[in-house]
Amino acid sequence: MSSELHKILKKEELTKDDLVSLISAGNEENEIIFNHAGRVRELHLGKKVHLRGLIEFSNICSKNCFYCGIRCANKNVPRYEATEKEIVGAAKHAQDNGFGSVALQSGERSDKKFIKKIDRVLQRIKQQSGGKMGITLSAGEQTEDVYRMWFESGAHRYLLRIEMSDPGLYKKFHPGDNLHDFNKRTECLSMLRKTGYQTGSGMLIGLPFQTPEHLARDLLFLKENDIDMAGMGPYIEHPETPLYKYREVLLSKKERFYLGIKMVAALRILMKDINIAATTAMQTLHPEGQQKALIAGANIVMPNITPAKYRENYFLYEGKSGVHFNLEEVKSVTEERIRSAGFEPGYNEWGDSLRFEKRKNRQRC
Ligand code: 5AD
Ligand code: SF4
């Protein structure tokens, strides 16, 4: 191991330059970084991997992010909205299969009909599980009142990816209007925290024009905002998006994949007690993507339990993994991936973020 890497891995606090060194490490150093991050994870969080049954309940989105296949300007994707009954039914399936939590995810909308529907769904899921089902929500930017209402109805974690923490890059990859305002997004993260949610964020990795410095600052953004959970993954091109024109300047898919795994490892070393997801985008770029992410420090998986007829239309990027499994296969494939990586599924448990628990206890004292 190079003496520089050795020094970095022994440090208590990592600087931006340390993170750049980790992110830019070559193949021979990667294994050392992944193993170190794996040890940090085991020391702080043990061997359990917690499950969030992912229900992508609608691909209707009012936004137009330049990288995303379900942006509102893409007229070639059939739009869907699962019914309340279907969403609550999928949550029942999660419960019956021992997934302690569900994650409800959709495109962004702020109309009353949507807000009320989510509210009813949250209450019904809580009711049918006798309060036992953990619920993560990921439905974008909303007002503080809406966040509070959903919290009171049963959502206790909220995932709002910052996508990229550099305001310049954010401007480059989003339309320059009020709907895509970097400051508004960071304000939403503060509101979520204030409301009492376990707050999650994350970013896209391997975007065109993104440098190791950008990625290092992304990681520091998560730390500075004291986030409880992270979901991040490699950017994967989609033909019907403006960013597709830059496909020639991207890193190869393999390089983007390993960059994603390195980001997981670096974040685990930086924030030892948060929840980090082994995301679908990682599995899409490598047949053992989730196992590798778990070994490098991730501790959450989100098996897709969206009703089958909708699944392939949550088409964020090319080749999205897992859309063809039936619900029985989802459980066995997930369990097999977790065990083959040397971990144990944490069935029927919430698996809340340890960082969040510690903060809550400090506030009580
Ligand atoms: N590649 C990878 N991830 C993407 N997302 C959107 N578009 C892409 C893409 N092309 C991610 C965003 C968003 C989540 C729902 O999907 O990070 O937050
Ligand atoms: Fe909508 Fe999210 Fe896609 Fe942006 S990334 S277009 S907000 S679903």
Side-chain angles (χ1 to χ4, degrees):
M1 173 174 10
S2 81
S3 63
E4 195 207 359
L5 181 58
H6 191 68
K7 265 195 227 144
I8 293 173
L9 295 181
K10 284 187 127 183
K11 280 183 165 185
E12 273 302 309
E13 294 285 329
L14 298 184
T15 64
K16 191 194 98 201
D17 289 344
D18 295 333
L19 292 168
V20 170
S21 299
L22 292 182
I23 293 163
S24 320
N27 282 344
E28 56 305 340
E29 293 182 322
N30 277 350
E31 285 308 309
I32 298 167
I33 298 171
F34 300 161
N35 287 339
H36 182 82
R39 278 196 299 277
V40 170
R41 172 251 154 87
E42 208 166 321
L43 190 67
H44 291 265
L45 305 174
K47 283 265 185 202
K48 285 238 175 107
V49 172
H50 286 102
L51 306 152
R52 320 280 182 236
L54 176 63
I55 308 170
E56 295 167 329
F57 64 91
S58 172
N59 68 351
I60 301 171
C61 188
S62 59
K63 288 196 161 183
N64 219 359
C65 308
F66 293 166
Y67 41 84
C68 177
I70 61 169
R71 62 200 302 270
C72 63
N74 183 7
K75 303 295 175 212
N76 292 328
V77 58
R79 301 288 168 171
Y80 71 87
E81 190 179 343
T83 64
E84 275 178 50
K85 195 168 167 221
E86 286 168 333
I87 306 170
V88 176
K92 179 76 169 66
H93 176 85
Q95 189 184 326
D96 293 344
N97 280 282
F99 299 172
S101 295
V102 284
L104 306 181
Q105 190 165 71
S106 69
E108 263 190 61
R109 276 166 63 184
S110 53
D111 55 279
K112 271 210 181 101
K113 190 169 156 264
F114 176 77
I115 290 167
K116 291 249 165 74
K117 175 176 171 176
I118 293 190
D119 200 50
R120 284 192 303 271
V121 163
L122 293 169
Q123 293 180 23
R124 286 180 62 180
I125 294 175
K126 278 286 165 190
Q127 208 172 23
Q128 82 174 351
S129 65
K132 286 207 180 105
M133 182 56 73
I135 308 179
T136 307
L137 199 51
S138 180
E141 294 170 31
Q142 305 289 343
T143 63
E144 195 166 339
D145 286 347
V146 171
Y147 284 148
R148 191 172 318 108
M149 178 168 93
W150 287 345
F151 185 75
E152 282 165 5
S153 292
H156 65 126
R157 312 184 191 104
Y158 202 103
L159 186 61
L160 184 73
R161 288 187 178 186
I162 190 68
E163 312 291 2
M164 54 217 73
S165 68
D166 181 275
L169 268 193
Y170 199 89
K171 253 200 175 130
K172 206 173 170 68
F173 296 144
H174 297 91
D177 57 26
N178 286 341
L179 212 54
H180 303 81
D181 178 349
F182 179 81
N183 293 326
K184 167 94 198 303
R185 208 155 178 89
T186 56
E187 274 163 31
C188 282
L189 282 173
S190 310
M191 286 193 278
L192 288 164
R193 152 66 43 78
K194 196 172 126 201
T195 308
Y197 284 97
Q198 288 174 54
T199 307
S201 195
M203 45 280 298
L204 290 162
I205 300 163
L207 287 162
F209 314 113
Q210 194 182 41
T211 63
E213 278 75 16
H214 285 128
L215 292 170
R217 271 189 258 119
D218 282 347
L219 295 177
L220 288 174
F221 174 92
L222 299 179
K223 175 136 197 223
E224 282 152 16
N225 284 275
D226 198 18
I227 65 109
D228 303 303
M229 15 183 242
M232 54 189 182
Y235 160 69
I236 305 170
E237 55 274 40
H238 185 299
E240 264 148 316
T241 59
L243 233 63
Y244 197 61
K245 64 172 178 276
Y246 295 120
R247 63 193 177 282
E248 306 295 342
V249 305
L250 295 173
L251 294 173
S252 71
K253 286 191 171 159
K254 188 172 172 200
E255 286 167 318
R256 262 177 280 158
F257 171 73
Y258 280 103
L259 192 56
I261 301 290
K262 260 195 282 192
M263 285 286 283
V264 166
L267 182 59
R268 175 57 70 208
I269 298 168
L270 186 69
M271 300 184 79
K272 301 177 178 13
D273 51 4
I274 65 170
N275 280 349
I276 304 180
T279 57
T280 311
M282 296 193 177
Q283 187 63 32
T284 300
L285 289 191
H286 193 294
E288 288 172 13
Q290 284 185 323
Q291 287 98 314
K292 286 189 182 289
L294 292 174
I295 289 167
N299 66 320
I300 300 289
V301 290
M302 299 169 75
N304 193 335
I305 56 163
T306 306
K309 64 179 176 191
Y310 299 129
R311 233 180 282 159
E312 65 186 26
N313 288 326
Y314 206 82
F315 187 26
L316 300 166
Y317 45 75
E318 281 180 330
K320 189 166 168 239
S321 164
V323 289
H324 300 299
F325 290 130
N326 66 40
L327 289 179
E328 282 63 43
E329 284 167 335
V330 169
K331 184 173 186 192
S332 57
V333 167
T334 304
E335 172 150 354
E336 158 61 19
R337 284 184 191 155
I338 294 171
R339 293 204 189 279
S340 71
F343 298 98
E344 201 188 307
Y347 288 126
N348 299 307
E349 293 176 6
W350 278 12
D352 277 348
S353 153
L354 187 60
R355 189 181 194 84
F356 179 81
E357 300 278 329
K358 285 188 200 159
R359 187 179 322 106
K360 219 169 55 184
N361 289 338
R362 272 202 307 274
Q363 284 162 353
R364 265 199 218 113
C365 296

